[in-house]
């Protein structure tokens, strides 16, 4: 059986609103970006003539789909004929869930200035709603076309769980789109994502709370999930006080490739600064534990059972291929322990089986074949603590196995945090895709070229595309071709 932790809501981009002068500056910058984009992206004069026939004035449209999902559309007076369908990230239950059509206000403003129409829905509810999100996004596109006419180009893009939804739209409904941009997405797919999350909380319970019966799967309600999270978090905090506990925390973090650099507001630790790396991982694991369990409970309700398993999993093998392996070995050496003993404890612990119907549900909603029919650009920060960057390698392998690698370009931003892209970095990905759509050839997608492009489109920020190759994803899962 194939072998893989919870969808994570997109974090805000690093350019936060911290005061009137900073906000005013960014609003001016957004206009500047838009002017540059207008010249750079519309192409020769007259290329938008057909699009201009559709709308004589800027339009902002809000509505509700038949299933109750709000949608929003913004179409500028100078519409260039391209529409961007934005898919947003995971929204926890009891959180505000308005319709969104861009990853940030800055990106939306810049793209509107440049002539792009932008649309998106809220999906019918919060939580793990991938099954409903895909048809809702297509229905939003239908509403747009009915009101404004056919677009010259249609591009799907999204962040976090929305990056996964974007990839799903690209694979399953490629005929509706000219290309896709997936940002900080769960490119490993749903089954792999939840399996990988299980590995970390399984290790925490086994090694830090031996004898605990806190449920990790088949969670009947949110109260149970929160109680389990509280018990595991307390064990995590107690373990951090000892060298032995810190080594075990590093091992649990390594099983999901939790990076050493997790906070963009803090400096990146040196490669051999294992103490800082472990402390960063310890801090982010508080969030990972709670989200893994509470969001898993919601997903299990949709799936009708437990979608994850670790039967037959070789944790020693996963550690051997983890980029965190040296950190784990060093911390174990300092503690006077051997990781072999704890890996043996993981081997001996009772394993968890999946419910086949739930695995089938998650395979449909959604895991990937890599069978793209249109070009796709995927971008990720290297220090993403919530959707580790190795997810990109999982999708690269799927596309390779399907023979579709020529349609895929992946680029990496040297920054910590989840979805912490600058506006320029995101718009450079869109520009790169548009070049491929328009010419049939990829432009230079190396980091230097992408940073130059990002700087042209957004001269107020520091952009950080870098040469990077992710390590293997711990437990990839692909649908059969």
């Amino acid at each position: 059986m194939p072998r893989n932790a919870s969808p994570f809501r997109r974090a805000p981009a690093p350019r936060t609103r911290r005061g009137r002068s900073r906000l005013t500056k960014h609003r001016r910058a957004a206009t500047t970006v838009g002017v540059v984009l207008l010249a750079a992206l519309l192409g020769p004069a007259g290329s938008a003539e057909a699009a201009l026939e559709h709308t004589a004035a800027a339009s902002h449209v809000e509505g509700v789909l038949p299933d109750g999902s709000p949608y929003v559309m913004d179409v500028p007076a100078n519409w260039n004929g391209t529409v961007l369908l934005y898919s947003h990230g995971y929204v926890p239950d009891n959180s505000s869930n308005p319709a969104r059509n861009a990853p940030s206000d800055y990106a939306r403003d810049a793209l509107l200035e440049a002539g792009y129409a932008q649309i998106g829905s809220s999906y019918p509810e919060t939580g793990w709603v991938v099954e409903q999100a895909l048809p809702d996004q297509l229905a939003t596109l239908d509403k747009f076309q009915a009101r404004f006419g056919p677009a010259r180009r249609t591009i799907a893009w999204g962040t976090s769980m929305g990056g996964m939804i974007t990839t799903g739209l690209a694979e399953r409904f490629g005929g509706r789109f000219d290309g896709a941009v997936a940002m900080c997405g769960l490119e490993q797919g749903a089954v792999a994502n939840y399996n990988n999350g299980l590995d970390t909380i399984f290790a925490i319970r086994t090694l830090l709370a031996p004898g605990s019966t806190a449920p990790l799967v088949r969670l009947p309600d949110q109260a149970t999930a929160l109680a389990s999270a509280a018990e595991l978090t307390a064990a995590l905090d107690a373990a951090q006080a000892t060298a032995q506990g810190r080594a075990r925390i590093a091992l649990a973090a390594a099983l999901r490739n939790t990076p050493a650099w997790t906070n963009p507001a803090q400096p990146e630790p040196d490669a051999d600064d294992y103490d800082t790396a472990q402390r960063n991982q310890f801090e982010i694991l508080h969030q990972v534990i709670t989200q893994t369990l509470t969001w898993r409970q919601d997903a299990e309700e949709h799936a009708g059972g437990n979608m994850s398993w670790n039967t037959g999993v070789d944790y020693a093998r996963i550690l051997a291929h983890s980029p965190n392996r040296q950190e784990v070995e060093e911390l174990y050496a300092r503690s006077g322990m051997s990781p072999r003993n704890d890996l043996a404890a993981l081997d001996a612990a009772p394993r968890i089986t999946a419910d086949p119907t739930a695995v089938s549900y998650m395979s449909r909603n959604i895991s990937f074949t890599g069978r793209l029919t249109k070009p796709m650009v995927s971008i990720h920060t290297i220090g993403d603590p919530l959707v580790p960057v190795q997810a990109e390698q999982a999708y690269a392998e799927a596309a390779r196995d399907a023979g579709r690698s020529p349609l895929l370009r992946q680029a990496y931003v040297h920054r910590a945090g989840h979805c912490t892209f600058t506006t320029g970095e995101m718009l450079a990905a869109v520009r790169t895709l548009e070049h491929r759509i328009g010419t049939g050839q990829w432009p230079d997608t190396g980091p230097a070229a992408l940073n130059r492009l990002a700087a042209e489109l957004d001269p107020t920020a520091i952009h950080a595309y870098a040469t990077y190759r992710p390590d293997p994803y711990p437990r990839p899962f692909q649908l059969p071709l």
Side-chain angles (χ1 to χ4, degrees):
M1 196 176 192
R3 337 173 265 291
N4 271 6
S6 54
F8 296 101
R9 190 180 185 184
R10 62 182 176 87
R15 301 166 59 187
T16 54
R17 301 181 179 186
R18 295 181 179 173
R20 175 182 288 278
S21 62
R22 185 174 176 84
L23 176 57
T24 302
K25 174 184 175 182
H26 282 309
R27 283 178 173 160
R28 289 198 303 268
T31 301
T32 301
V33 173
V35 171
V36 175
L37 270 170
L38 184 59
L41 295 179
L42 292 189
S47 64
E49 287 179 2
L52 289 173
E53 295 176 1
H54 292 294
T55 176
S59 299
H60 175 81
V61 179
E62 297 183 18
V64 179
L65 298 174
D67 67 359
S69 303
Y71 64 83
V72 61
M73 304 177 185
D74 285 296
V75 182
N78 62 328
W79 183 32
N80 63 14
T82 295
V83 59
L84 298 170
L85 174 66
Y86 176 69
S87 298
H88 68 73
Y90 187 94
V91 178
D93 286 341
N94 302 314
S95 299
S96 175
N97 187 32
R100 280 166 274 183
N101 61 1
S104 70
D105 291 345
Y106 304 126
R108 181 178 57 250
D109 291 348
L111 289 165
L112 286 173
E113 282 283 337
Y116 288 83
Q118 296 169 82
I119 64 176
S121 74
S122 69
Y123 323 143
E125 56 183 312
T126 53
W128 186 265
V129 290
V130 176
E131 178 183 17
Q132 299 92 337
L134 270 69
D136 269 9
Q137 291 293 78
L138 294 174
T140 300
L141 182 58
D142 290 340
K143 291 280 188 182
F144 173 83
Q145 292 173 340
R147 185 176 185 116
F148 296 101
R152 179 170 59 92
R153 286 178 181 164
T154 302
I155 294 173
W157 71 328
T159 48
S160 195
M161 188 180 77
M164 167 188 270
I165 291 165
T166 295
T167 304
L169 291 169
E171 279 201 5
R172 299 187 179 189
F173 303 98
R176 300 290 306 272
F177 300 94
D178 296 287
V181 177
M183 301 178 286
C184 50
L186 285 75
E187 301 304 291
Q188 72 274 46
V191 175
N193 176 63
Y194 280 101
N195 270 345
N196 196 211
L198 175 63
D199 292 335
T200 292
I201 58 175
F202 178 79
I204 289 171
R205 188 182 69 175
T206 302
L207 301 178
L208 306 185
S212 170
T213 59
L216 306 181
V217 300
R218 301 182 180 93
L219 302 159
D221 49 44
Q222 284 290 297
T224 301
L226 287 168
S228 284
E231 184 173 337
L232 296 186
T233 300
L236 185 81
D237 289 337
Q240 185 66 11
T242 69
Q244 292 83 2
R246 290 191 291 274
R248 287 171 170 149
I249 291 170
L251 173 57
L255 296 180
R256 65 182 298 275
N257 289 345
T258 304
W261 188 26
T262 59
N263 185 343
Q266 296 176 351
E268 181 180 11
D270 293 336
D272 60 353
D273 185 357
Y274 301 128
D275 292 326
T276 300
Q278 191 278 334
R279 184 172 62 251
N280 291 346
Q281 291 157 353
F282 159 73
E283 290 173 353
I284 201 65
L285 281 177
H286 286 80
Q287 182 177 353
V288 168
I289 289 170
T290 299
Q291 290 182 342
T292 295
L293 287 162
T294 58
W295 296 359
R296 167 182 289 279
Q297 189 277 328
D298 170 75
E300 287 184 346
E301 284 190 0
H302 286 86
N306 170 39
M307 71 293 289
S308 303
W309 67 91
N310 64 356
T311 50
V313 173
D314 184 347
Y315 286 115
R317 185 177 183 277
I318 290 179
L319 177 61
H321 291 90
S322 171
N324 301 2
R325 178 180 58 82
Q326 288 185 322
E327 173 198 339
V328 172
E329 291 177 347
E330 173 66 21
L331 293 178
Y332 267 87
R334 291 186 200 172
S335 73
M337 302 189 303
S338 169
R340 289 192 296 273
N341 294 332
D342 281 344
L343 290 168
L346 293 177
D347 284 342
R351 294 304 181 96
I352 293 168
T353 59
D355 301 320
T357 56
V359 175
S360 178
Y361 177 90
M362 282 295 172
S363 295
R364 296 192 307 273
N365 303 293
I366 187 173
S367 292
F368 301 123
T369 65
R371 299 192 72 176
L372 295 168
T373 59
K374 301 292 175 58
M376 186 172 88
V377 174
S378 183
I379 64 174
H380 219 109
T381 53
I382 68 167
D384 189 331
L386 302 184
V387 183
V389 66
Q390 289 77 20
E392 298 292 338
Q393 188 63 18
Y395 195 76
E397 292 173 3
R400 179 201 63 206
D401 292 346
R404 306 301 169 87
S405 294
L407 289 172
L408 177 65
R409 289 295 182 272
Q410 295 172 306
Y412 302 96
V413 172
H414 191 94
R415 188 176 298 116
H418 181 51
C419 304
T420 50
F421 305 112
T422 64
T423 297
E425 287 160 356
M426 292 187 286
L427 300 187
V430 173
R431 167 80 179 275
T432 297
L433 177 70
E434 285 231 307
H435 185 282
R436 172 61 176 78
I437 294 170
T439 67
Q441 301 292 325
W442 287 107
D444 184 352
T445 56
L450 289 172
N451 284 326
R452 284 195 299 270
L453 181 57
E456 291 172 9
L457 303 175
D458 180 8
T460 67
I462 297 174
H463 311 293
Y465 279 107
T467 300
Y468 186 78
R469 180 179 175 82
D471 291 277
Y473 192 75
R475 282 212 276 157
F477 178 93
Q478 291 170 227
L479 289 174
L481 297 180

